[in-house]
Amino acid sequence: MKQLCLGLILVFLMTSLAPFKAFAESAKTNGAPAIKSEAVILLDANTGSVLYEKNSHTQLYPASLTKMATAIYAIENGNLDDVVSVSAKAYETEGTRVYLEEGEQVTLKHLIQGLLINSGNDAGVAIAEHLNGNTRSFAKSLNQYLKEKIGVEQTHFTNPHGLFDENHYTTANDLALITKYALKNPIFREIFGTKELAWDGESWDTTLFSHHLLLRGEIPYEGITGGKTGFVQESRYTLSTSAEQGELSLIAIVLKADRNEYAYEDTVALLDYGFDNFEVAEVATNEKFFGEQNESYHLNKPLKYTLKKNESVQVTMNDQGVLRVLGDDGRKLASTQLKMDIPKELEGTRAEINPVDLAKKNHIPAILMFVFLGVGIVYLQKTIKNMKKST
């Protein structure tokens, strides 16, 4: 009987994972990926280039992807060694939890780990109350932080965890920006990429496992560095994934997938599309660029950009000293403000010079010429007038 039960369990596991393994092995595509989810975006985290998008500016419900924003906000605005006292409200929070007890003492960092790795809604409330007193004040501060610090434009959060609220929404594009910003922080990056963590709670001693199947390796994929899952009925399945291969560092956001396997299938298709079809190039610092007055400009550091493999690009500079890299279809791959080289005669007088200054300098000879010409005309008119008087 035991052998029969074990056999049935094994068959169930194999059949439940088979769809994931099948599309993981067969999802490679030479063209644009076929996407089932409502909205997606694929972003190169190093260059900021958008490699693919579908409805990326459509406002949707993020579910637990909200917790990425809560985590980076807490890391940057709190003391990770602070000991947090868990409130009754945090203890009573519904949904996925790390089973905090009322009055339990937990460090802020441990709460952030429980928030991201096990998607603990109770940990989110405890973090919010510790940092801002209550979840409403926390949401107000979080929204301001996301707008001013990260530059999101279509996001409004009402809670720290992503449980459904009709006024709690964001976009795939904004979530990609949040993920891109957060991954620059080594603490967030470490927790975001944690597959498992021992959890010694007051009422729950266990090992937390990431819910993200690509990060855990249940869906094999080379180079996965982090991930967060989400689900509520109104948002359906949501997924954030980061992966690196060579110089490419990709972020894939998937929103409103009707089935869990669709979210992963779309993520794998996006990553395959990015790694198979794109590469990183740069404009070197030793390249010089010249304006209309022959003034020269330079880069302070190499300008990296992401382009399609074997794509030709055009590098141009406008009259304001802004360098732009354009793809062969005219799309902007990168842009930056150049620095103007200091003329030798001005060395030691100014740290830098702007285009208007140099334009004025280069026009000085012409201005002097017109001044002398004007003086000459006035002198000639007076001479003619005096000659008429003498006659």
Side-chain angles (χ1 to χ4, degrees), residues 301-366:
K301 60 180 181 180
L303 177 63
K304 292 184 178 293
Y305 57 94
T306 311
L307 72 163
K308 295 176 183 176
K309 291 180 178 179
N310 303 316
E311 180 178 16
S312 59
V313 299
Q314 181 182 8
V315 180
T316 64
M317 184 190 72
N318 65 17
D319 56 4
Q320 301 300 316
V322 176
L323 186 73
R324 299 177 67 198
V325 182
L326 304 178
D328 54 17
D329 58 359
R331 73 191 189 284
K332 185 174 71 173
L333 302 179
S335 66
T336 190
Q337 177 67 55
L338 296 173
K339 295 292 184 180
M340 183 175 287
D341 295 324
I342 303 173
K344 290 183 179 181
E345 59 268 30
L346 294 179
E347 286 183 357
T349 61
R350 294 182 58 181
E352 61 182 58
I353 183 170
N354 62 44
V356 176
D357 293 331
L358 193 59
K360 288 179 179 178
K361 171 183 174 294
N362 285 344
H363 279 95
I364 286 175

Side-chain angles (χ1 to χ4, degrees), residues 49-330:
S49 297
V50 176
L51 310 185
Y52 182 87
E53 65 88 25
K54 172 188 174 183
N55 299 329
S56 65
H57 291 277
T58 300
Q59 290 178 336
L60 295 168
Y61 305 123
S64 286
L65 299 195
T66 303
K67 290 164 182 166
M68 299 188 300
T70 297
I72 187 59
Y73 174 86
I75 290 169
E76 291 198 343
N77 291 278
N79 183 341
L80 298 180
D81 295 326
D82 279 355
V83 176
V84 179
S85 182
V86 178
S87 70
K89 184 175 181 179
Y91 165 73
E92 294 167 357
T93 305
E94 61 183 12
T96 309
R97 303 167 58 198
V98 286
Y99 299 99
L100 299 172
E101 290 289 328
E102 183 179 352
E104 185 175 353
Q105 305 287 302
V106 189
T107 65
L108 180 59
K109 182 176 181 180
H110 209 41
L111 287 173
I112 296 171
Q113 291 170 321
L115 177 81
L116 281 181
I117 300 169
N118 200 62
S119 205
N121 295 333
D122 49 355
V125 173
I127 291 169
E129 292 180 334
H130 174 70
L131 293 177
N132 293 91
N134 56 67
T135 55
R136 184 175 181 178
S137 295
F138 173 83
K140 183 178 179 179
S141 295
L142 177 62
N143 288 327
Q144 183 177 2
Y145 165 85
L146 294 174
K147 183 176 181 180
E148 295 178 357
K149 193 80 172 180
I150 302 178
V152 303
E153 297 180 348
Q154 297 176 283
T155 294
H156 182 267
F157 290 152
T158 61
N159 60 60
H161 39 58
L163 289 174
F164 176 71
D165 183 313
E166 63 180 7
N167 293 315
H168 187 98
Y169 53 79
T170 186
T171 67
N173 183 76
D174 279 1
L175 284 171
L177 294 178
I178 292 168
T179 309
K180 175 178 178 290
Y181 176 86
L183 285 172
K184 295 177 182 177
N185 185 290
I187 297 172
F188 178 93
R189 189 178 180 89
E190 173 195 350
I191 300 174
F192 192 62
T194 299
K195 299 179 182 180
E196 61 181 82
L197 178 76
W199 183 270
D200 185 13
E202 190 169 302
S203 64
W204 196 41
D205 293 341
T206 187
T207 299
L208 303 182
F209 292 93
S210 171
H211 298 177
H212 199 294
L213 299 181
L214 282 162
L215 180 61
R216 278 163 51 176
E218 291 188 27
I219 302 175
Y221 199 94
E222 179 187 353
I224 299 296
T225 60
K228 182 73 191 78
T229 63
F231 174 82
V232 292
Q233 189 62 39
E234 294 81 0
S235 73
R236 307 304 294 157
Y237 296 92
T238 64
L239 208 59
S240 173
T241 310
S242 61
E244 294 180 353
Q245 289 183 21
E247 290 191 89
L248 288 172
S249 180
L250 302 184
I251 294 169
I253 303 293
V254 171
L255 295 181
K256 204 172 183 180
D258 283 337
R259 298 173 60 179
N260 194 30
E261 57 263 37
Y262 291 169
Y264 286 102
E265 184 175 352
D266 285 349
T267 296
V268 169
L270 287 168
L271 294 176
D272 280 347
Y273 176 70
F275 289 128
D276 290 347
N277 295 285
F278 291 86
E279 60 187 357
V280 177
E282 69 175 38
V283 181
T285 54
N286 60 1
E287 292 195 40
K288 293 288 185 180
F289 305 90
F290 296 92
E292 292 182 357
Q293 304 300 323
N294 206 34
E295 67 274 24
S296 63
Y297 298 78
H298 68 278
L299 286 162
N300 278 347
K301 60 180 181 180
L303 177 63
K304 292 184 178 293
Y305 57 94
T306 311
L307 72 163
K308 295 176 183 176
K309 291 180 178 179
N310 303 316
E311 180 178 16
S312 59
V313 299
Q314 181 182 8
V315 180
T316 64
M317 184 190 72
N318 65 17
D319 56 4
Q320 301 300 316
V322 176
L323 186 73
R324 299 177 67 198
V325 182
L326 304 178
D328 54 17
D329 58 359

Side-chain angles (χ1 to χ4, degrees), residues 13-39:
L13 289 174
M14 290 177 67
T15 54
S16 63
L17 290 177
F20 292 123
K21 291 183 179 179
F23 73 68
E25 294 172 356
S26 64
K28 292 204 175 272
T29 174
N30 292 324
I35 299 298
K36 298 182 180 69
S37 302
E38 182 72 19

